[in-house]
Amino acid sequence: MEISVVFRIAAVGILVAVFNQVLARAGRDEQATMVTLAGIIVVLFWIVQYISDLFTTVQTLFQL
Amino acid sequence: METEIYKIAAAGIIATILALTLKRDNPVFGVFVGIAISVIILLALMPALTEVFGIFKEISSLAGANTDYILIIVKIIAISYIAEFAAQICSDAGEAGIGAKIEFGGKVIIMTVAAPLIVSLIKEITGMLP
C-alpha cells in the first residue's frame, strides 16, 4: 500500500505545470513544451516499471 | 484483512483529487495518476486473492474434482483481471475504443484457454446420454 508513487507523480505534474507557466510568461514557449515532454517521459518510465512489477506479481501469483 | 478497505478507499479518493488537479494543466498526468492508483490497489489486493484461491483449491480437492480444471479457472480469472485493469484505464483516459479492443482480446484469450475445459465437458455429457 505504498502511495508514495502517486505523490511523486503529482509532484512532477505540478512542477511541470509551474515551469510551463513561468516559461510561457518569459516568452520561451518551446522550452515549456520541452519541460512538459521531459516530465511526461520521466513519469512514463516510473509507470512502466510499476506496471511490469504488477504483471510479474500477478504472473507468479496465478502461476500463469 | 477487513481494515484493508479503509486504506483502499482513502487512497482512491486522494488519488482522484490529485488526478483532477493535475488534469487541469495537462491531462496526461491525470491518466498517470489513474494508472498508479489502480496498480497500488491491485497490488494491495494480492494477498487477499491468494487466500481466496487457497480456499478454492481446498474446496475443489474436497469435492474430488481434478485439479487441472481449477488451474484453467485460475488462469481465466487472471486474464480477466489484467484485461479489465487495462481496459478500464483506457476508457478512463477517454479512449473507450482501445479499451473495448483490450476487453475483446481478453475474451478471445479466455476462450482459447477454456477450450479444453469445454471439450471435456461436452465429452462427459455425450457420454452420459443413452
Side-chain angles (χ1 to χ4, degrees):
Chain A
M1 193 36 117
E2 72 290 346
I3 193 146
S4 62
V5 182
V6 173
F7 294 141
R8 256 190 291 153
I9 292 172
V12 170
I14 289 166
L15 266 176
V16 163
V18 167
F19 276 142
N20 261 351
Q21 298 294 340
V22 168
L23 286 173
R25 288 291 173 283
R28 296 193 181 75
D29 287 334
E30 62 285 345
Q31 267 137 18
T33 47
M34 284 305 155
V35 166
T36 316
L37 217 58
I40 287 171
I41 288 169
V42 164
V43 175
L44 200 60
F45 273 120
W46 291 342
I47 288 284
V48 165
Q49 173 60 31
Y50 207 42
I51 285 183
S52 74
D53 289 351
L54 171 75
F55 284 164
T56 40
T57 321
V58 168
Q59 208 159 7
T60 52
L61 180 82
F62 290 107
Q63 297 101 25
L64 253 169
Chain B
M1 190 49 81
E2 300 73 22
T3 61
E4 197 70 22
I5 188 64
Y6 304 128
K7 281 187 265 180
I8 290 174
I13 290 167
I14 292 169
T16 324
I17 291 165
L18 277 178
L20 277 180
T21 48
L22 292 173
K23 208 184 271 281
R24 199 169 42 81
D25 294 307
N26 30 29
V28 184
F29 284 95
V31 177
F32 282 145
V33 168
I35 294 173
I37 192 60
S38 39
V39 169
I40 285 173
I41 290 179
L42 291 187
L43 281 178
L45 289 175
M46 281 301 168
L49 260 174
T50 41
E51 243 175 81
V52 167
F53 282 132
I55 297 163
F56 209 54
K57 284 205 171 72
E58 218 175 293
I59 293 170
S60 69
S61 63
L62 282 179
N66 63 14
T67 51
D68 58 354
Y69 289 163
I70 304 303
L71 281 183
I72 288 179
I73 290 172
V74 164
K75 256 190 211 154
I76 288 174
I77 292 173
I79 292 169
S80 59
Y81 197 90
I82 302 274
E84 197 273 334
F85 164 78
Q88 203 58 42
I89 286 171
C90 293
S91 45
D92 278 356
E95 298 294 332
I98 300 176
K101 297 300 177 297
I102 294 174
E103 202 64 51
F104 174 67
K107 290 194 184 91
V108 169
I109 292 166
I110 284 176
M111 199 54 203
T112 52
V113 167
L117 200 64
I118 296 167
V119 166
S120 62
L121 190 67
I122 288 171
K123 274 209 189 92
E124 263 167 44
I125 292 173
T126 48
M128 273 187 280
L129 293 178

